[in-house]
Amino acid sequence: MSETAKLELEGKVYELPVIQGTENEKAIDISKLRDTTGYVTLDSGYKNTGATKSKITFLDGEKGILHYRGYSIEQLAEKATFLEVAYLLIYGELPTQTQLDAFRNSITKHTLVHEDMKQFFEAYPAKAHPMGVLASMVCSMATFYPESLDPNRSAEAKDLTIHRLIAKLPTLAAWSYKNAIRHPFMYPKNDFDYCKNFLYMMFGMPTEDFKVDPVVVEALNKLLILHADHEQNCSTSTVRIVGSSNANLYATISAGISALWGPLHGGANQEVIEMLEKIHNDGGDVDKWVAKAKDKEDPFRLMGFGHRVYKNFDPRAKIIKKACDDILEKLGVNDPMLDIAKKLEKVALEDEYFKARNLYPNVDFYSGIIYKALGIPTEMFTVMFALGRLPGWVAQWKEMTENKEPIGRPRQIYTGATSREYVPIEKR
Ligand code: ACO
């Protein structure tokens, strides 16, 4: 594409290349701007900054479109398994049966974690938040697999590190929960599929046969797929920035998990349920809490509403809302918190404040409700998000390393004090 943008600065005109993506998104390439003009751009929160070219995920916030490698989220959530989607994201194509079998076998082979890591779990207090445990455990994996320290060693070594991580994350996640309730750890059962095995390690007991409703396994499969990637969001950008320093994959993903923990990002699903409980305990007056959310003097926000990029609707929320209705009906769940959620959804969707700002329920609003119905404890919600997002983080990291992207290092506009003399302490 030969189009250029013209920028006039101090009476001089500069031509900047315009680049276009395969879905016709346009960008002004400013990579040489500082060298040619002496200026940088300022964009707090990177709302208008494309940090990379990527072939993994496409989303259109205005039209409510989300594609992984060209396939719509609707089709993938309906027809695929989570491991199939993980393969697609990481390796770029849907796997053949042989490729999928080999991938699944490799993942299954690596589900056990090193016995010495069990001692780490035992040292955490029972009240430790499982996201803190998960981030630490994932980073610790680098100490057990020193061959992972050089992320660019070989394609085979990279694959082994990736497979180990995807295989062990459910084990680490489930054990962080078992540790919190001081129950014995359940070792992975390799004849169960990825989702069923996770549920087994979470809810199984050594003294009982494990039975789980296939509806629950299917719901988990769908939830993980819906969360599998979301292009350059806060945690993924963290992954790409940390990975750009050539840090190993375990340290890099641990940083992504930490970024996801925040309540404005993945932590929102936990906050949704806590908010519903708060409203319930306060007497269930939904209008009062909607008014608080609209009051600029009040820091309260409706958790699970709004999204940085989806300003019409979140396609994942649409799929998950249906799954949510189905699962609540099939499991016969009757929970006052869910009634509050339904009322809140209705009031907010009809309210001018929310309509004017395009604030719709996001994926976290419904995922929190489903996780609650599945019996997953609130503190584990963001861990569930991390399990789903792992293939996306890995794919983005892999792409970045293969493209040999430079270390991430934004600029700033300094607004602090100008040069001044040091003042001895007695004179301050
Ligand atoms: N409740 C009440 N008001 C809100 C909410 C909300 N949940 N979200 C945004 N607003 C208002 C803001 O006060 C602002 O109003 P103003 O224009 O009068 O000042 C306007 O809507 C725009 O909000 P921003 O914060 O500028 O929007 P931004 O795109 O930066 O933030 C975010 C998006 C962080 C998701 C925000 O909507 C939010 O805090 N939502 C609640 C937390 C949440 O659910 N996070 C999960 C996101 S999804 C995910 O990570 C998978």
Side-chain angles (χ1 to χ4, degrees):
M1 187 178 177
S2 55
E3 204 182 313
T4 56
K6 289 194 175 54
L7 174 71
E8 192 175 334
L9 282 172
E10 298 168 14
K12 215 172 151 197
V13 176
Y14 299 88
E15 290 214 1
L16 300 167
V18 168
I19 58 163
Q20 190 168 342
T22 49
E23 291 278 4
N24 303 323
E25 304 154 289
K26 290 181 182 178
I28 301 165
D29 181 350
I30 54 136
S31 52
K32 304 268 185 315
L33 189 70
R34 190 168 180 276
D35 293 345
T36 51
T37 67
Y39 282 69
V40 296
T41 54
L42 178 62
D43 183 18
S44 297
Y46 309 118
K47 292 191 181 194
N48 290 292
T49 297
T52 188
K53 290 185 201 160
S54 178
K55 293 187 165 70
I56 302 169
T57 290
F58 170 69
L59 73 85
D60 182 326
E62 279 69 39
K63 295 191 185 133
I65 293 174
L66 174 62
H67 290 171
Y68 297 161
R69 303 276 189 189
Y71 297 101
S72 79
I73 191 65
E74 287 80 5
Q75 287 191 8
L76 293 170
E78 176 75 32
K79 298 178 178 160
T81 63
F82 176 63
L83 279 191
E84 213 180 337
V85 170
Y87 186 100
L88 169 72
L89 286 166
I90 296 168
Y91 298 107
E93 295 296 336
L94 283 171
T96 61
Q97 190 63 55
T98 316
Q99 287 167 329
L100 184 60
D101 289 346
F103 184 56
R104 201 188 292 119
N105 287 344
S106 175
I107 300 292
T108 305
K109 203 165 79 190
H110 291 292
T111 47
L112 271 178
V113 299
H114 199 291
E115 278 294 292
D116 290 349
M117 283 188 94
K118 269 173 70 181
Q119 293 170 30
F120 297 173
F121 278 101
E122 281 149 18
Y124 285 109
K127 287 206 163 85
H129 194 289
M131 280 297 273
V133 176
L134 193 70
S136 314
M137 286 301 194
V138 167
C139 200
S140 304
M141 278 179 68
T143 65
F144 285 81
Y145 302 104
E147 66 278 13
S148 68
L149 295 181
D150 173 4
N152 298 312
R153 217 164 54 122
S154 69
E156 292 72 33
K158 203 179 252 185
D159 275 348
L160 179 59
T161 302
I162 291 172
H163 293 192
R164 274 195 180 123
L165 187 51
I166 294 177
K168 293 182 204 308
L169 201 70
T171 314
L172 295 174
W175 284 13
S176 70
Y177 168 63
K178 287 288 195 193
N179 186 57
I181 56 169
R182 294 297 194 249
H183 275 190
F185 298 141
M186 297 298 285
Y187 283 83
K189 206 163 160 53
N190 287 347
D191 49 347
F192 288 164
D193 70 22
Y194 196 79
C195 291
K196 188 169 175 186
N197 182 43
F198 172 71
L199 292 165
Y200 166 74
M201 291 188 288
M202 277 286 289
F203 299 118
M205 293 292 284
T207 45
E208 290 165 10
D209 274 352
F210 179 68
K211 289 197 187 68
V212 61
D213 192 328
V215 171
V216 172
V217 181
E218 180 44 36
L220 179 60
N221 183 61
K222 206 176 280 246
L223 280 160
L224 296 185
I225 291 175
L226 292 179
H227 284 90
D229 196 47
H230 213 237
E231 54 115 302
Q232 310 309 318
N233 54 76
C234 174
S235 56
T236 302
S237 300
T238 302
V239 162
R240 285 187 94 121
I241 286 252
V242 174
S244 76
S245 73
N246 273 352
N248 65 79
L249 181 64
Y250 300 122
T252 301
I253 298 298
S254 167
I257 293 172
S258 299
L260 188 73
W261 193 357
L264 295 187
H265 190 14
N269 52 16
Q270 173 176 342
E271 301 264 334
V272 168
I273 296 299
E274 286 171 0
M275 173 188 76
L276 295 176
E277 280 166 359
K278 209 190 248 173
I279 298 176
H280 176 65
N281 295 338
D282 186 56
D285 183 352
V286 166
D287 292 332
K288 171 182 156 188
W289 289 85
V290 170
K292 271 167 78 63
K294 288 156 53 175
D295 180 357
K296 293 290 165 206
E297 302 301 312
D298 190 324
F300 175 74
R301 280 190 166 200
L302 279 192
M303 298 315 287
F305 280 77
H307 198 276
R308 170 56 63 81
V309 290
Y310 293 122
K311 299 298 181 192
N312 257 329
F313 70 94
D314 178 341
R316 303 165 304 168
K318 220 174 168 181
I319 301 169
I320 213 175
K321 178 178 165 34
K322 186 170 177 313
C324 186
D325 291 342
D326 289 352
I327 203 151
L328 296 181
E329 198 192 312
K330 278 189 192 142
L331 297 182
V333 176
N334 198 356
D335 185 331
M337 239 61 77
L338 301 175
D339 297 336
I340 292 180
K342 293 257 168 234
K343 266 193 227 157
L344 199 59
E345 183 193 17
K346 188 165 182 299
V347 173
L349 285 175
E350 287 167 1
D351 190 289
E352 257 325 297
Y353 172 97
F354 289 87
K355 283 196 335 211
R357 290 167 180 77
N358 294 319
L359 300 169
Y360 301 92
N362 57 45
V363 68
D364 284 333
F365 185 72
Y366 299 108
S367 67
I369 296 172
I370 299 191
Y371 287 137
K372 188 167 193 309
L374 297 187
I376 293 182
T378 320
E379 288 215 322
M380 282 294 288
F381 288 5
T382 317
V383 169
M384 304 304 296
F385 192 158
L387 275 186
R389 184 52 54 86
L390 180 63
W393 287 333
V394 168
Q396 301 271 351
W397 168 84
K398 187 164 172 282
E399 180 180 69
M400 184 208 63
T401 56
E402 286 166 2
N403 288 350
K404 306 211 175 341
E405 289 181 16
I407 186 165
R409 201 318 184 175
R411 294 274 177 175
Q412 64 165 17
I413 304 299
Y414 176 69
T415 57
T418 51
S419 178
R420 48 186 170 164
E421 289 297 314
Y422 175 78
V423 182
I425 196 155
E426 61 281 5
K427 295 204 174 152
R428 279 175 223 162

